[in-house]
Structures are given as structure tokens and as C-alpha cells.
Amino acid sequence: MHRLYLSKYLIPELLIMLIFILLIRSGAGKVYPIIKADGVGYYDYLPSLFIRHDIARKNQPLLKYPARYNNIQKKGVYVHYHEFLVDKYPVGTAVLQSPFVLITYLATPLHGSPDDGYQKTFQYAVLIATLFYLFLGIFFLGKILEFYNIKRGIIVFIEFLAVFGTAITNYANYDASFSHVYSFFAINAFLYFSLRYFKKKDAMSFLTACLFFGLVLIIRNINVLILLFIPFLAGSWVQLKQIVVHTIQKPKILLIGFLIIVAVFFILRWVSLVQAGGILLYSYHVEGF
């Protein structure tokens, strides 16, 4: 049974990932550094918190590592907010990267240099994290498509096209430190568990969907627009109404789901509190189109 499940649901996705990894690590596909441009802003929470201990910075540059601070500031990562310097990028990408970076942190000798947290081992930890979430992203994409009775061969072909025929090709390699693959994973997981809840109306699917919705929000706030897909997932207004009524009739589960979303979203607010002394912070206030 387990062997059948593995061959049906995992081996094709693993083969897609293997082909992708072989291609990006050969010749022209190699990219270094991995953490660059906007990716520095998404990632810098982790070395700031665990290595430099300067996540709360009172409008002061990092005096201990001025070269690192100046290099980061050239990328416009930190912006002035009242008397504070704050990282303008959402924290969700760093949250998902953290297990990989923490393992690397425990295994990598630090020398008190400006490059601590940006050495090659950390660079590749971020790449591995991105590839891991890409795998989960296409896995959940396939699970979503199964709800619509699409043949397994066509699903695998769609997964292949998603990896090799869309912007994911870029965001899982050249811009692997950006938030896009992480959004791809979290959104697909949210949609899958939402669909599962619509079909089964079970509490665990609802609560798991709430967890991933919280992640969707803190990875990139504009991702909240994924809620507009919910009526389409329901299939019809009648079915949507039935689901809403069913959920309202479960106030305890509804409250727990709400608290899960709030708890995950509070990570973003906690960072705002630490960095700027308040939970309400719009870090893009100095920018516009």
C-alpha cells in the first residue's frame, strides 16, 4: 500500500525535482550568491536575530559590522520609521527558511566577520529551503488537481510545466532567496486544505487551512487576495452558503481557526513591535509606484 502511494504521489514529483536540480547545478545554471537583491531583505531577519543580535536597531547602523550594514543598506533593505530602522520586507519567508538556516547555524563556525550568516553554507541552506518548498508546492498543486478528477499523467505534466515553463524556473534558481516559491507553496497548501474542508467538512482540514492562510499573509501581505478564489473552490453559491452555514454552526472550531491565523500573523506584528516599538507598521511608507 505504501509502495503504491509512493509511486503514485511522490516519485513523479521527486523526478521533476531531480531533473530541475541537475539542470540548475550544471554549467550556465549555477548561480552565486543565492541571497541577493530583495532576497537579502527577506532573509536578513535570521542573521539579525541569531547572529548579529541587532533586530531592534534604534536608528543606528550596525556598528559592530559596518561593512555588512553598508552593503545591506545599498540594497534598501532597512528604512527609517520614526526613530527606528526597520526591515521593510515581510518576515514569512524567513520563518519558512529558519529550520534550514538554524541547522546551518549550529553546524557552521562563526568568526565574528561581516559575512557571518552569509557564508556559502548559509547561501546553499536558502537554496535547499527553496527547493524543498518548491517540491511541496508542486505536490499540493497535484493534490488540488486531483479534486477535479484530472488524470494522474496530466497532473504530472502540469507540475512539470509549472517548474520548467513558468517564472518558477527563475524564482527557484536565480532568485531563489525571493518570496515567490514560498508563496507558491503556502497558497497551494491553503487551497488544498480549503478544498478538502469543502468536500469533507472536517475540523482538521479547516484548522490546517487556517494555519496556511496565516503563512500566506506573513509571506507577502498582498497574498490575502487568494481569498477571492474561495467562491470558485466551493463550486457554486449554493455550496458556498452551505459551507458557511456549516462553519458558523461550529463556533468552537471557528474560534480555534481564527486564533491560529492570529497567532501566525502575530509573528509579523511581533517583529514590528521589536523593530519599531509598535504592532502597526507599514514599512513601505517611503515607496510607491
Side-chain angles (χ1 to χ4, degrees):
M1 184 69 178
H2 293 294
R3 186 176 299 175
L4 179 63
Y5 182 87
L6 184 66
S7 63
K8 185 178 180 182
Y9 293 107
L10 290 179
I11 288 181
E13 285 82 3
L14 289 171
L15 286 175
I16 291 172
M17 292 303 304
L18 178 61
I19 294 169
F20 183 74
I21 291 169
L22 290 175
L23 288 175
I24 67 172
R25 299 313 301 161
S26 65
K30 288 185 178 181
V31 174
Y32 195 87
I34 288 128
I35 307 169
K36 59 182 181 294
D38 286 4
V40 174
Y42 291 115
Y43 168 76
D44 200 58
Y45 289 102
L46 298 174
S48 289
L49 183 62
F50 297 109
I51 299 175
R52 300 197 305 265
H53 308 298
D54 71 326
I55 194 167
R57 146 184 323 171
K58 289 255 186 177
N59 236 352
Q60 296 294 324
L62 183 58
L63 299 178
K64 189 175 179 182
Y65 306 122
R68 168 56 56 193
Y69 171 79
N70 291 333
N71 187 37
I72 290 174
Q73 269 310 88
K74 288 177 183 177
K75 299 175 174 63
V77 170
Y78 288 90
V79 296
H80 292 274
Y81 191 85
H82 300 310
E83 75 271 23
F84 295 89
L85 280 176
V86 299
D87 190 330
K88 71 182 181 184
Y89 293 87
V91 72
T93 300
V95 169
L96 291 178
Q97 291 170 342
S98 60
F100 300 86
V101 174
L102 283 174
I103 291 171
T104 306
Y105 169 70
L106 294 173
T108 302
L110 302 178
H111 305 291
S113 73
D115 288 327
D116 279 349
Y118 285 84
Q119 300 100 312
K120 185 174 288 188
T121 51
F122 288 95
Q123 301 278 344
Y124 283 110
V126 169
L127 177 61
I128 292 169
T130 302
L131 293 173
F132 174 76
Y133 290 113
L134 174 60
F135 167 72
L136 291 181
I138 62 173
F139 172 77
F140 281 116
L141 174 62
K143 298 293 284 182
I144 291 168
L145 295 174
E146 284 180 4
F147 276 108
Y148 298 97
N149 298 317
I150 297 174
K151 292 181 179 179
R152 180 61 178 159
I154 296 175
I155 290 175
V156 173
F157 183 61
I158 292 172
E159 292 171 338
F160 183 87
L161 291 180
V163 175
F164 292 96
T166 69
I168 288 177
T169 309
N170 173 75
Y171 289 115
N173 182 32
Y174 185 79
D175 289 325
S177 57
F178 285 34
S179 66
H180 298 67
V181 169
Y182 299 86
S183 290
F184 176 71
F185 152 67
I187 288 172
N188 279 340
F190 167 68
L191 293 177
Y192 165 70
F193 284 105
S194 296
L195 269 169
R196 180 171 166 171
Y197 174 65
F198 294 166
K199 301 293 183 182
K200 296 187 175 183
K201 296 182 175 62
D202 62 310
M204 187 54 66
S205 294
F206 177 76
L207 297 178
T208 309
C210 290
L211 173 65
F212 281 109
F213 182 65
L215 280 174
V216 164
L217 288 178
I218 67 172
I219 291 171
R220 202 173 178 91
N221 303 151
I222 196 65
N223 287 345
V224 70
L225 293 176
I226 197 62
L227 286 178
L228 298 177
F229 277 71
I230 293 299
F232 298 96
L233 294 179
S236 69
W237 287 110
V238 173
Q239 290 177 315
L240 180 62
K241 182 180 177 181
Q242 291 174 348
I243 292 164
V244 171
V245 171
H246 173 79
T247 306
I248 293 174
Q249 291 173 345
K250 306 287 184 180
K252 183 178 178 180
I253 301 301
L254 187 61
L255 177 60
I256 294 173
F258 174 74
L259 291 176
I260 289 173
I261 296 172
V262 170
V264 177
F265 190 70
F266 184 75
I267 299 172
L268 184 64
R269 297 303 92 198
W270 175 82
V271 170
S272 299
L273 181 64
V274 170
Q275 286 198 329
I279 63 172
L280 297 177
L281 166 64
Y282 179 59
S283 59
Y284 285 91
H285 68 283
V286 297
E287 298 188 7
F289 288 105

